[in-house]
Amino acid sequence: MIEGRPRVPSTSSGERVSAAMPAAMADQPAATLLVNLEQRTVVYANRLAVELGPGIELPVPLAQWSRAAGLRTPDGTLLEDGPDLLEAIAAGSPERGLQISAARASDTSAAGEALWAVGMPLTDAPAPLADQALVILLPMRQQETVRALQDISGDLHARAATASELSFTISDPHRPDDPLVWVNPAFEQVTGYRAEDVLGRNCRFLQGPDTDRSTVDRLGAAIRAGTTVAETVLNYRKDGTPFWNQLVISPVVDGSGQVTHHVGIQTDVTVQVEAQRARDAALDDALASEGRLQLLAEVGQSLIQHLDYTLSIRTLADLTVPALATWGFVAVTSDTGRFDRLHVAARDPERVQDALDLENQDISWLTRSPSVAAALAGTPSHGPRPFAVDIDGLPSRTTPEQLTLLGRLGLGSALVVPLRARDRVLGVLCLVHADPDGFTAQDVATAIEVGQQAGLGLDNLRLYLRERDAAVTLQRSLLPTLPDIPGLDVDATYLPAARRAEVGGDWFDVLPLPDGVTGLAVGDVVGHDLRAAASMGQLRSVLRSYAWSGESAGRVVSRLDELVRGLDMADIATCIYLRLDRDRLSYSRAGHPPALLRLPGGEVRSLDGALTTPVGVSTLGDAAPEAEAELPHGGVLVVYTDGLVERRDRPLRAGIAALTQALSRVPDGASAAQVGERLISTLVSESPEDDVCLLVVRRT
């Protein structure tokens, strides 16, 4: 066992050491090796030394570490090729050190930069350090430090005290509580404890109120197991100030393999840990901000994407709740103030069924909630903030089953955010955490922003859907009811554009005329507003009047154009009018896409003749051009507006080609309704960009 204490450097020696170690050594410590002189091996390397010789598993022979670091003399000779130069340096020869260079850079030196290497044998330290030495590699540009260290090179113990950021301790496991039996001056400088204060005591005196107990337990377990352990632990100096201690404790064994002592090598890494913590905190803030923006973007996108009020509410809850809480819900009210939609969501997949069961309960648990009522009334003068769930008050306003479900979902703290529309609060976003302190300030700020965005978004969607329903109702009221015509199977489809609430100008008409002929018309007024709808109604009425007179297709289109231009009824409109007399078909087109005629067997013909300018811009004389075709038994006539075939990613010509191909593949025996369904499903997306009007006539 090791008795006594080491010699403490004299005051003059300590002063010379302090003078020799300016801020460069404190702020940018040197690369340091601990070398076993007897075994000629490197047994420890600090962080900077690891950067010079990476990927080396210690202990390692001196020559191998020198080779990995690429150490050279000024003339370019590798140290490993010289006469044991690194071993000589470690042994303290030459005393004033030797200039070398390393192939790699570290935090304090560049690759190939001149370094001053000096060895510090720990000859006056107790075993097992007595046969070990420190090797310090310091950039030569720190000339003052180099000269000062060279000046004190004869004082080996003083040089040991300059051992960069390393401090050493030795403890004796054969004594009760494994007490310290030796510490070096660097330990005294780092901790503020003098050697006489700590010798004979276990080093747990460095622990304090915020020392992590699990780290201490791991250290103790490794020491008891006789293995080397490395940990970074929060320790405390004698004056009570904390510091982060990067600690390596290694067992020293005798020839029989028995542990005789423990050697502790300690490094004050407070600056590095705090810098890393600052980087981690900045990263956490950045990730939180990114997550917040991502959530807001997803909420906004979902409200734009879904033109379904109920689906938007469900999506809002499913996006927001898992991101900010343990569980929660979105509830909105009708115009009368009664809850008419509710969706409960949970973060934990195992609680999803509980959320669904609560959603399917009667809503008494919701309507009796004071916080929900206050949010709906808009009474709080302050912004929403988390509050502890009133668990004691829940039994009086819930059923036993509701209370069970609420308890299983988790009741700690809650946050109720009103969903504010333009003129009222239309609902609430309620977030619940199982943890009483589960909400962060970032969570609250995000929830408030989500509530503001969702309130306006849901209000916009509700107004849009209301106007769109009214528009579609008006549009359909202007379209005719299909008559029953002997010998003809007729079907018509009108689909409003999904991206607009305005009414459009598309229309169709089927007219059994007095002379036994069937009149067919499809038109499209430019625009998507009430003016277009009104013009559509007028054009349809005028065309009906002229068609009823029995005039030819070309004459009907011409007179329609005259009236439109004379009365300024519409800006521009396209129209196709056809007269079907048994199998004879005559038609005229005013700027309208060609009708298609499918013959039995699958051949499709385009009725692309008789084209003139759109209605309202014509300079025709007595009649528009007219063309004829034949519609045989089993033949199918398809008349449509451009919304069926044209869209942003498909021009009109390509759309007509796609329609022709789809029509050719329709089975011969398909009814008019089946043909229409086939064409709509093939050519029209779920959210059509434009109004779609399709008229299908099959001759039976």
Side-chain angles (χ1 to χ4, degrees):
M1 294 190 296
I2 301 173
E3 302 290 346
R5 48 175 299 198
R7 176 174 59 85
V8 179
S10 66
T11 303
S12 59
S13 174
E15 291 173 350
R16 293 199 309 274
V17 171
S18 297
M21 303 302 293
M25 284 296 283
D27 297 337
Q28 296 180 331
T32 304
L33 302 174
L34 181 63
V35 175
N36 187 309
L37 294 174
E38 181 179 345
Q39 298 177 3
R40 301 179 181 181
T41 58
V42 176
V43 296
Y44 176 80
N46 72 348
R47 178 178 56 85
L48 297 175
V50 170
E51 292 175 357
L52 296 179
I56 297 297
E57 184 176 350
L58 302 180
V60 65
L62 277 167
Q64 185 176 341
W65 191 93
S66 177
R67 184 184 311 116
L71 300 185
R72 295 178 181 270
T73 60
D75 62 3
T77 302
L78 290 170
L79 257 66
E80 61 177 302
D81 294 337
D84 300 324
L85 282 180
L86 188 56
E87 182 180 347
I89 292 172
S93 177
E95 287 187 349
R96 296 178 63 84
L98 180 70
Q99 179 180 332
I100 63 172
S101 65
R104 293 180 179 81
S106 73
D107 280 355
T108 59
S109 62
E113 180 177 358
L115 304 174
W116 178 72
V118 62
M120 301 178 182
L122 305 180
T123 53
D124 61 345
L129 290 182
D131 61 350
Q132 300 190 8
L134 293 171
V135 175
I136 293 180
L137 308 175
L138 190 71
M140 286 290 288
R141 64 178 181 273
Q142 300 177 12
Q143 295 294 332
E144 293 183 5
T145 302
V146 171
R147 284 194 297 271
L149 287 174
Q150 289 175 332
D151 289 342
I152 62 170
S153 59
D155 187 342
L156 295 180
H157 199 94
R159 282 187 287 149
T162 69
S164 186
E165 74 271 32
L166 293 178
S167 66
F168 295 89
T169 62
I170 299 177
S171 67
D172 187 349
H174 297 288
R175 293 186 180 184
D177 205 23
D178 194 14
L180 296 175
V181 295
W182 184 84
V183 297
N184 73 336
F187 176 87
E188 297 177 316
Q189 294 169 8
V190 170
T191 66
Y193 288 97
R194 299 178 63 187
E196 55 263 31
D197 298 331
V198 300
L199 294 181
R201 300 171 59 188
N202 186 283
C203 62
R204 70 172 63 91
F205 59 83
L206 293 174
Q207 299 172 20
D210 292 327
T211 301
D212 181 50
R213 304 313 306 173
S214 60
T215 303
V216 174
D217 292 341
R218 288 194 299 272
L219 288 168
I223 291 172
R224 289 189 296 272
T227 59
T228 298
V229 61
E231 293 283 355
T232 299
V233 61
L234 184 65
N235 282 159
Y236 290 80
R237 298 182 176 90
K238 186 176 182 179
D239 62 6
T241 58
F243 72 99
W244 286 99
N245 188 0
Q246 189 178 74
L247 177 63
V248 179
I249 300 178
S250 301
V252 178
V253 297
D254 59 18
S256 64
Q258 297 298 312
V259 176
T260 63
H261 296 88
H262 290 123
V263 175
I265 303 175
Q266 305 166 36
T267 308
D268 183 353
V269 292
T270 303
V271 173
Q272 296 93 318
V273 170
E274 290 180 349
Q276 184 60 48
R277 283 190 161 189
R279 289 192 292 268
D280 291 344
L283 178 60
D284 289 343
D285 289 343
L287 292 175
S289 297
E290 181 181 354
R292 177 181 181 182
L293 293 175
Q294 179 67 24
L295 176 60
L296 292 171
E298 290 178 353
V299 168
Q301 181 63 31
S302 70
L303 294 175
I304 295 172
Q305 181 179 0
H306 300 306
L307 295 179
D308 183 309
Y309 194 59
T310 301
L311 179 58
S312 293
I313 291 168
R314 296 183 65 87
T315 304
L316 172 61
D318 289 339
L319 285 174
T320 307
V321 169
L324 299 177
T326 304
W327 69 279
F329 58 85
V330 173
V332 297
T333 61
S334 64
D335 291 337
T336 62
R338 293 179 174 273
F339 285 109
D340 62 354
R341 287 175 176 84
L342 167 68
H343 181 53
V344 184
R347 175 189 294 170
D348 186 350
E350 295 183 0
R351 299 272 77 88
V352 169
Q353 186 59 49
D354 292 331
L356 180 61
D357 292 343
L358 182 62
E359 182 178 323
N360 292 329
Q361 292 281 312
D362 72 82
I363 60 172
S364 58
W365 62 274
L366 176 61
T367 57
R368 296 175 183 173
S369 169
S371 57
V372 171
L376 286 176
T379 52
S381 58
H382 53 75
R385 58 186 180 185
F387 59 90
V389 175
D390 179 17
I391 298 178
D392 294 337
L394 282 176
S396 64
R397 56 178 188 269
T398 60
T399 66
E401 186 175 359
Q402 292 168 356
L403 184 60
T404 299
L405 291 171
L406 289 169
R408 290 171 62 177
L409 287 168
L411 297 171
S413 55
L415 176 66
V416 180
V417 179
L419 303 177
R420 296 186 183 276
R422 290 168 178 79
D423 55 352
R424 70 181 182 91
V425 176
L426 59 81
V428 295
L429 165 64
C430 181
L431 302 171
V432 185
H433 242 297
D435 185 350
D437 299 315
F439 291 104
T440 66
Q442 184 78 274
D443 293 337
V444 175
T446 302
I448 292 174
E449 288 194 45
V450 169
Q452 292 171 344
Q453 180 175 332
L456 289 174
L458 289 174
D459 193 38
N460 287 338
L461 178 58
R462 181 161 59 175
L463 291 175
Y464 164 80
L465 293 174
R466 184 178 298 168
E467 293 174 4
R468 184 170 180 269
D469 289 344
V472 172
T473 300
L474 174 61
Q475 181 84 358
R476 295 188 185 280
S477 70
L478 296 173
L479 298 175
T481 301
L482 294 176
D484 291 329
I485 302 176
L488 296 180
D489 178 14
V490 183
D491 183 74
T493 301
Y494 169 75
L495 296 175
R499 61 185 176 91
R500 287 190 303 268
E502 298 91 344
V503 292
D506 291 18
W507 94 92
F508 65 88
D509 213 341
V510 179
L511 305 169
L513 300 176
D515 57 3
V517 174
T518 301
L520 306 169
V522 172
D524 184 0
V525 177
V526 173
H528 293 86
D529 51 24
L530 290 174
R531 175 187 172 96
S535 297
M536 179 268 283
Q538 290 176 317
L539 289 179
R540 175 172 168 264
S541 298
V542 170
L543 186 142
R544 278 192 157 216
S545 299
Y546 290 143
W548 191 259
S549 67
E551 296 191 74
S552 66
R555 183 58 182 157
V556 169
V557 170
S558 179
R559 295 189 65 181
L560 179 65
D561 175 70
E562 292 172 1
L563 187 61
V564 167
R565 287 187 293 112
L567 299 180
D568 193 22
M569 291 171 52
D571 293 330
I572 300 176
T574 67
C575 175
I576 180 171
Y577 176 62
L578 309 95
R579 283 173 54 87
L580 178 59
D581 185 2
R582 292 182 293 275
D583 62 348
R584 181 173 173 271
L585 189 65
S586 60
Y587 65 93
S588 182
R589 297 188 298 137
H592 203 80
L596 297 181
L597 182 62
R598 183 192 186 279
L599 303 177
E603 179 186 353
V604 177
R605 297 177 182 176
S606 175
L607 304 185
D608 51 9
L611 178 63
T612 185
T613 54
V615 174
V617 297
S618 176
T619 57
L620 296 175
D622 293 337
E626 189 173 310
E628 294 187 353
E630 181 180 351
L631 180 62
H633 288 289
V636 177
L637 175 67
V638 174
V639 195
Y640 53 92
T641 57
D642 58 1
L644 177 68
V645 293
E646 188 176 30
R647 61 191 189 203
R648 281 175 292 181
D649 62 343
R650 185 177 64 200
L652 181 63
R653 188 184 299 274
I656 294 175
L659 173 61
T660 301
Q661 185 179 45
L663 183 59
S664 67
R665 294 176 177 175
V666 172
D668 280 344
S671 66
Q674 290 172 335
V675 173
E677 291 175 1
R678 180 79 169 265
L679 298 181
I680 291 293
S681 63
T682 302
L683 297 169
V684 180
S685 65
E686 294 183 1
S687 301
E689 300 172 7
D690 197 1
D691 297 337
V692 175
C693 189
L694 173 63
L695 178 63
V696 180
V697 179
R698 177 175 176 271
R699 190 170 176 219
T700 59

